């Protein structure tokens, strides 16, 4: 099936007991057994739930992988991947990534003896230099949050594999509609399904997709043993969201393109970060590995004072001031004090994330309303 058909049909099967076309919300904790151990493949809902299974099948198909696993949040999915490691193991990861991932790495997993090496993932020589005999995992986020940097997934996968490491890509910003890292050599794809997959800002959920059966078994063991599973209602909401992923993403991309160009032409704006610009440092790689460039944009005003940025952030009416992204409605955010506040200021600024940076999640409203809203805010 082609991607647009897949969004609608992936994981959807008429319910065997009634023929219901939509997967029912199996709101149950356990399943009655005919005799001890004799059951229909469902024992206890932390291990198996039919609504979750339908979603996990959809996750696998959307990422062109064999297996999908659903988690209670994006960070729970990330946490599950890190539980593959043992004390002393090393992780090579980007120095410009989602603040919550950074917090999980530094504040939780470092305490258990995992070591993290942060590198500039735009440059493969930096990645190569950070690899050691102890490297077990390479963590890639592309495009990055919030600077929209692009990493060459195929190149990183081959470096990682040469050193025997598992290569993971956080594909949240692109969504499976725009980029499929497993087809470029990654071993695991991670998503915050809270964002584009759910798409309506009404659910928190995470996902992992992979091809290797052994890796799937190890991660399934962690999923059921550590227990960060999503409830069936949340699985239903994401299944429902996925049915319009393709039309939403097409509009996110179209609106994102218009807003990015409008910002770039605005004399009060100094810099716009969006991988669709021909002069974006890794535009060619973005073009090769992504179908389109998405609706995430960040920018800096010509006036470098934080107050100028804060004024814009509090002046929009259509763009809502909020964390998160990927919903149908447009959001505006101040990474330095909101999504990325857990990164120490010097380190944040060293990595190019200044106090004046503004991030937009461009929604699927009428783009003229979005541009007029920004025009009256950036004055
Ligand atoms: C939101 C986000 C996460 C974390 O996901 P949650 O669902 O909030 O736990 C991870 N990575 C990226 C890129 C995100 O935007």
């Amino acid at each position: 099936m082609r991607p647009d058909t897949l969004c609608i049909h992936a994981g959807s099967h008429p319910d065997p007991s009634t023929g219901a076309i939509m997967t029912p919300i199996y709101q149950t904790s356990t399943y009655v057994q005919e005799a001890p151990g004799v059951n229909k493949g469902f024992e206890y809902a932390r291990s198996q739930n039919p609504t979750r299974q339908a979603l996990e099948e959809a996750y696998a198909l959307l990422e062109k992988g064999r297996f999908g696993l659903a988690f209670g949040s994006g960070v729970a999915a990330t946490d599950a991947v890190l539980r593959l490691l043992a004390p002393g193991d090393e992780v090579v990861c980007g120095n410009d990534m989602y603040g919550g991932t950074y917090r999980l790495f530094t504040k939780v997993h470092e305490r258990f003896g995992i070591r993290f090496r942060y590198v500039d993932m735009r440059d493969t020589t930096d990645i190569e230099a950070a690899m050691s005999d102890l490297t077990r995992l390479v963590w890639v986020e592309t495009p990055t949050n919030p600077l929209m940097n692009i990493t060459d997934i195929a190149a990183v996968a081959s470096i990682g594999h040469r050193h025997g490491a598992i290569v993971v890509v956080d594909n949240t910003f692109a969504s499976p509609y725009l980029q499929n890292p497993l087809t470029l050599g990654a071993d695991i794809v991670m998503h915050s399904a809270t964002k584009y997959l759910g798409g309506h800002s009404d659910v928190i959920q995470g996902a992992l997709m992979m091809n290797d059966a052994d890796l799937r078994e190890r991660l399934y063991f962690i999923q059921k043993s550590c227990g960060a599973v999503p409830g069936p209602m949340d699985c239903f909401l994401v299944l429902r969201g996925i049915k319009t992923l393709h039309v939403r993403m097409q509009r996110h991309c179209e609106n994102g393109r218009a807003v990015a160009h409008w910002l770039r032409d605005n004399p009060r704006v100094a810099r716009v970060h969006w991988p669709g610009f021909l002069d974006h440092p890794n535009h060619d790689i973005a073009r090769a590995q992504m179908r389109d460039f998405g609706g995430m944009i960040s920018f800096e005003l010509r006036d470098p004072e934080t107050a100028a940025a804060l004024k814009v952030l509090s002046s929009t009416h259509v763009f809502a001031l909020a964390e998160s992204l990927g919903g149908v409605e447009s959001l505006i955010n101040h990474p330095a004090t909101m999504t990325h506040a857990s990164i120490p200021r010097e380190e944040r600024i060293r990595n190019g994330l200044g106090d004046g940076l503004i991030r937009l999640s461009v929604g699927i409203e009428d783009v003229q309303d979005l541009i007029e809203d920004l025009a009256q805010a950036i004055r």
Side-chain angles (χ1 to χ4, degrees):
M1 274 190 254
R2 292 172 178 80
D4 289 19
T5 314
L6 210 51
C7 286
I8 292 166
H9 293 283
S12 282
H13 308 288
D15 180 53
S17 58
T18 62
I21 192 163
M22 288 302 147
T23 306
I25 301 159
Y26 280 90
Q27 195 75 51
T28 189
S29 62
T30 192
Y31 309 87
V32 177
Q33 313 207 5
E34 282 159 40
V38 181
N39 56 61
K40 298 184 165 69
F42 296 93
E43 292 155 350
Y44 185 62
R46 175 155 36 76
S47 307
Q48 311 97 2
N49 177 284
T51 318
R52 194 172 90 219
Q53 274 182 5
L55 176 61
E56 291 179 336
E57 184 188 333
Y59 279 160
L61 289 164
L62 287 177
E63 278 295 1
K64 302 184 173 31
R66 287 176 64 207
F67 308 106
L69 292 170
F71 290 84
S73 67
V75 291
T78 302
D79 181 66
V81 172
L82 290 185
R83 285 169 195 266
L84 294 167
L85 306 179
D89 287 351
E90 290 187 3
V91 177
V92 171
C93 53
N95 60 12
D96 161 33
M97 60 183 179
Y98 175 66
T101 306
Y102 177 84
R103 183 175 59 194
L104 178 67
F105 287 2
T106 54
K107 297 277 184 352
V108 180
H109 287 278
E110 258 179 28
R111 286 174 37 228
F112 293 96
I114 312 290
R115 296 215 178 77
F116 297 89
R117 292 172 175 240
Y118 300 93
V119 301
D120 183 344
M121 283 264 169
R122 287 171 297 183
D123 186 349
T124 48
T125 56
D126 274 23
I127 303 170
E128 189 78 64
M131 302 293 292
S132 82
D133 292 346
L134 299 172
T135 310
R136 297 283 176 274
L137 200 78
V138 181
W139 189 274
V140 179
E141 192 182 308
T142 182
T144 60
N145 179 1
L147 288 169
M148 307 305 297
N149 287 321
I150 300 290
T151 297
D152 184 337
I153 296 171
V156 176
S158 82
I159 294 170
H161 293 159
R162 222 179 309 122
H163 290 82
I166 295 171
V167 176
V168 191
V169 176
D170 179 340
N171 202 28
T172 301
F173 263 39
S175 89
Y177 194 67
L178 300 184
Q179 176 171 276
N180 298 121
L182 296 179
T183 66
L184 299 164
D187 301 295
I188 302 175
V189 169
M190 174 264 159
H191 278 281
S192 168
T194 310
K195 317 293 167 56
Y196 287 108
L197 284 162
H200 295 74
S201 308
D202 54 7
V203 62
I204 295 279
Q205 192 172 133
L208 298 177
M209 297 81 161
M210 72 283 327
N211 278 317
D212 184 73
D214 175 57
L215 199 49
R216 188 264 171 198
E217 275 319 299
R218 289 159 69 200
L219 289 164
Y220 171 64
F221 178 82
I222 292 166
Q223 183 198 39
K224 74 174 180 193
S225 305
C226 301
V229 290
M233 178 68 195
D234 286 355
C235 293
F236 172 83
L237 286 170
V238 179
L239 271 169
R240 179 178 163 132
I242 286 171
K243 288 185 191 293
T244 55
L245 178 66
H246 55 307
V247 272
R248 286 187 286 109
M249 288 316 296
Q250 287 161 19
R251 182 66 88 85
H252 281 298
C253 291
E254 196 181 304
N255 285 359
R257 174 173 282 107
V259 169
H261 282 97
W262 181 84
L263 284 169
R264 182 136 106 163
D265 291 343
N266 188 308
R268 290 198 170 75
V269 173
R271 249 182 315 282
V272 185
H273 307 278
W274 180 67
F277 289 132
L278 292 172
D279 59 0
H280 180 284
N282 276 346
H283 174 75
D284 290 344
I285 296 165
R287 196 174 202 92
Q289 70 189 17
M290 298 175 76
R291 176 203 276 260
D292 203 339
F293 306 106
M296 294 303 300
I297 300 168
S298 59
F299 67 97
E300 288 137 272
L301 299 172
R302 220 169 269 292
D303 180 346
E305 294 299 321
T306 310
L310 293 179
K311 189 172 155 288
V312 171
L313 285 148
S314 58
S315 305
T316 57
H317 305 298
V318 183
F319 281 85
L321 178 62
E323 299 198 4
S324 200
L325 60 110
V328 290
E329 65 290 307
S330 293
L331 301 179
I332 190 165
N333 163 301
H334 187 229
T337 57
M338 296 169 71
T339 45
H340 291 68
S342 56
I343 302 173
R345 185 166 184 273
E346 321 78 73
E347 190 165 331
R348 184 163 54 65
I349 289 177
R350 191 166 359 102
N351 298 335
L353 202 173
D355 293 331
L357 191 80
I358 297 172
R359 188 188 81 179
L360 301 177
S361 172
V362 179
I364 62 171
E365 299 96 337
D366 188 314
V367 72
Q368 214 44 50
D369 285 326
L370 300 181
I371 287 173
E372 284 169 18
D373 192 35
L374 291 171
Q376 62 81 33
I378 307 172
R379 275 178 289 129

